[in-house]
Amino acid sequence: MIGGGQLARMTAEAATALGIGFRVLAASPGDPAALVVHDVHIGDHDDPEAVLAFAEGCDVVTFDHEHVPTPILEALVARGIAVRPGPRALAHAQDKLHMRAALTAINVPCPAWQQVQSAAEVELFAASHGWPVVLKTSRGGYDGRGVWVVRSVVEATGVMGTPLAGDSRWLAEQFVPFTRELSAQVARSPHGQAVAYPVVQTTQIDGICAEVVAPAVGLSEDLALSAQEIALRIARDLDVVGMLAVELFQTADGLVVNELAMRPHNSGHWSIEGAVTSQFENHLRAVLDLPLGDPSVRAPSVVMVNILGGSVGELYSAYRHVFARDAEIKVHLYGKEVRPGRKVGHVTVLGDDADALLARGRHAADYFSGAIDE
Ligand SMILES: Nc1ncnc2c1ncn2[C@@H]1O[C@H](COP(=O)(O)OP(=O)(O)OP(=O)(O)O)[C@@H](O)[C@H]1O
Ligand SMILES: [Mg+2]
C-alpha cells in the first residue's frame, strides 16, 4: 500500500488477520502505518525510483491516498505489476474536473459545474447558477482544503489569487442546498464481483468528516437503493477495483454526487466493528481478486465519531475515564502527533438508537480532545 496514514494502518490490521504479507511505502518512519508495519519502505510517493523499488516483489499495489502521479503508476503497470485500482480509474479520484466530466458522461447526477480560469468566469457561472459558488482546486485537496464557498466576485478574486499547484485547475460548482450528506461505499474485484455497504450519513465540520451514522437514519429504501445503484454503476463504468466511496448530497429533489474516493474512506471506519466484513478487509479481498465478504451492518445503528486534535497532546491518559464510563465503546488511535483539528483517531459504538449512540461517541471524542474534562 502506497501511503502510510491511518488507512494503511487499519488495512494492516486486516492483512494481519488474513495472514497476508503487507508492505507500506511511507513518507516518514513516524507515519501511522510505519509505526506498526514491519515491512516498511520510507520514500516519497512522487519519487519514481522509490515507488519502483517499493513495488518490486509485490503481487498487487494499492493506495492509502490518491496522490501518486499517473506516469509512475503507468511505469508500474509496464513492469507487469498489478496496480489496483488502475491508473485510468484512479485518475477520476485524483482530479475533480476529470471526475465531473466522467460522471456527467455516464448520467450520474452532479451539481452544475464548469472549469473556470478567472473570477470573471466565476461571475458568469453565478449569473446562471446563483451565488454562492463553490470553488475547488481540481487536484490535491483533502479534508476541505482546496474547497471555498465564495459569495461574490471579490471573494472569488481573493481565492483565485493563490496560484495553483502542478497541473491543478479551478472547478466552479453550484452550491447544493443539501439536507444532509451521505456516503455509498462498494467493493469491486477485478473479475467484476461487487458488494454494497449500507448507505451512511456523514457530517462534515469545516470540511472534515466528524461523524458517521450507519445506516443513514430514516433514509427511504428507494433513495438507499438509488445511492447503492449509483455507486455500483460508477464502480463498473469507471472500472474501479477495491473500495469506492461515493460522497453524495441528499436534497429535496433527490441525490447529487459530490466526489469519489477509490480506497478505504473515513465514512467506512464504522465497518471495523459494525459490519460483518470491514471496508479494510474487503479492500484487500477486492484488490487480491478474492471473493468479497458480507458488508451487512451488525446492529440496528452504528455510530463513528472522529477524534480531532485539541488542547491535550497526550491521548493515552483519557482511556481510564472513557473506558470506565462506557464498556462497549471501541477506540482507534492512529499514533499521530496531536495538532489542533487533525484527525488523530475515532470511536465506534453499536446499538439501537442513533441519537443515544451519538451522545456517547461525542462524549468520548470530546474527552480525548480535551474539549470536556468530565
Ligand atoms: N457543490 C457543493 N455544494 C455545497 N457544499 C459543498 C459542495 N461541494 C463541497 N461541499 C462541502 O464541502 C465539503 C468538502 O468538499 P469535497 O468533498 O469536495 O472536498 P475534499 O477536501 O476533497 O473532501 P475530502 O475530505 O472528502 O477529501 C463537502 O463534504 C461539503 O460539505
Ligand atoms: Mg469529500
Side-chain angles (χ1 to χ4, degrees):
M1 184 169 268
I2 298 181
Q6 63 262 23
L7 301 175
R9 180 172 167 123
M10 290 184 270
T11 307
E13 289 184 59
T16 302
L18 295 172
I20 291 168
F22 188 69
R23 179 182 296 170
V24 164
L25 179 63
S28 90
D31 283 3
L35 294 169
V36 298
V37 171
H38 80 94
D39 188 1
V40 178
H41 286 221
I42 303 300
D44 289 328
H45 62 262
D46 50 9
D47 170 358
E49 308 240 311
V51 176
L52 285 170
F54 156 81
E56 198 68 47
C58 291
D59 295 306
V60 178
V61 170
T62 188
F63 310 95
D64 141 298
H65 59 67
E66 37 260 329
H67 303 317
V68 183
T70 304
I72 298 183
L73 299 177
E74 281 167 352
L76 294 180
V77 174
R79 291 200 179 193
I81 295 163
V83 176
R84 296 178 179 157
R88 280 174 61 96
L90 200 62
H92 302 97
Q94 293 178 316
D95 188 302
K96 288 175 175 169
L97 271 165
H98 195 59
M99 170 201 67
R100 284 283 174 242
L103 294 183
T104 304
I106 59 170
N107 292 319
V108 167
C110 290
W113 64 276
Q114 192 182 301
Q115 184 183 348
V116 288
Q117 271 155 4
S118 64
E121 285 182 24
V122 177
E123 194 171 28
L124 273 176
F125 180 82
S128 323
H129 303 288
W131 297 101
V133 169
V134 183
L135 269 178
K136 300 184 176 185
T137 57
S138 69
R139 301 178 78 93
Y142 66 98
D143 285 351
R145 288 176 231 192
V147 176
W148 296 265
V149 179
V150 294
R151 292 181 171 73
S152 66
V153 69
V154 175
E155 283 185 26
T157 308
V159 168
M160 293 172 88
T162 318
L164 287 165
D167 39 11
S168 195
R169 297 164 290 166
W170 289 109
L171 164 65
E173 285 181 4
Q174 172 190 23
F175 181 88
V176 177
F178 57 81
T179 50
R180 64 175 160 179
E181 293 185 75
L182 303 171
S183 172
Q185 285 189 291
V186 297
R188 181 173 177 273
S189 61
H191 78 269
Q193 190 197 359
V195 295
Y197 281 82
V199 178
V200 304
Q201 73 189 55
T202 67
T203 309
Q204 273 61 234
I205 299 175
D206 297 330
I208 301 184
C209 176
E211 296 173 351
V212 174
V213 181
V217 177
L219 185 67
S220 73
E221 204 178 314
D222 277 359
L223 281 180
L225 282 173
S226 144
Q228 289 178 319
E229 189 270 333
I230 287 172
L232 287 167
R233 193 150 56 87
I234 292 171
R236 184 195 62 200
D237 289 0
L238 303 188
D239 196 21
V240 181
V241 170
M243 286 297 303
L244 166 72
V246 180
E247 298 179 6
L248 298 136
F249 299 128
Q250 183 177 354
T251 76
D253 306 319
L255 301 173
V256 179
V257 170
N258 174 29
E259 63 159 349
L260 310 178
M262 296 181 191
R263 49 173 170 75
H265 189 250
N266 201 161
S267 67
H269 291 354
W270 66 273
S271 66
I272 297 175
E273 294 88 7
V276 175
T277 314
S278 80
Q279 63 163 344
F280 301 101
E281 178 171 347
N282 261 339
H283 186 74
L284 288 170
R285 291 203 205 189
V287 301
L288 293 166
D289 208 8
L290 293 169
L292 300 174
D294 182 353
S296 305
V297 59
R298 285 179 178 278
S301 186
V302 182
V303 160
M304 188 275 340
V305 181
N306 274 341
I307 302 172
L308 299 183
S311 54
V312 182
E314 185 272 312
L315 299 170
Y316 181 83
S317 56
Y319 273 134
R320 187 172 301 279
H321 170 88
V322 168
F323 287 158
R325 191 172 189 273
D326 195 333
E328 288 172 27
I329 203 153
K330 300 312 252 182
V331 180
H332 298 256
L333 295 182
Y334 306 150
K336 285 175 160 177
E337 198 188 307
V338 175
R339 276 189 243 127
R342 191 183 198 199
K343 283 179 195 167
V344 292
H346 73 266
V347 300
T348 302
V349 244
L350 280 66
D352 293 315
D353 175 54
D355 285 334
L357 297 173
L358 275 169
R360 283 162 61 191
R362 284 173 190 160
H363 178 94
D366 285 346
Y367 194 88
F368 273 107
S369 71
I372 54 172
D373 62 3
E374 57 180 333

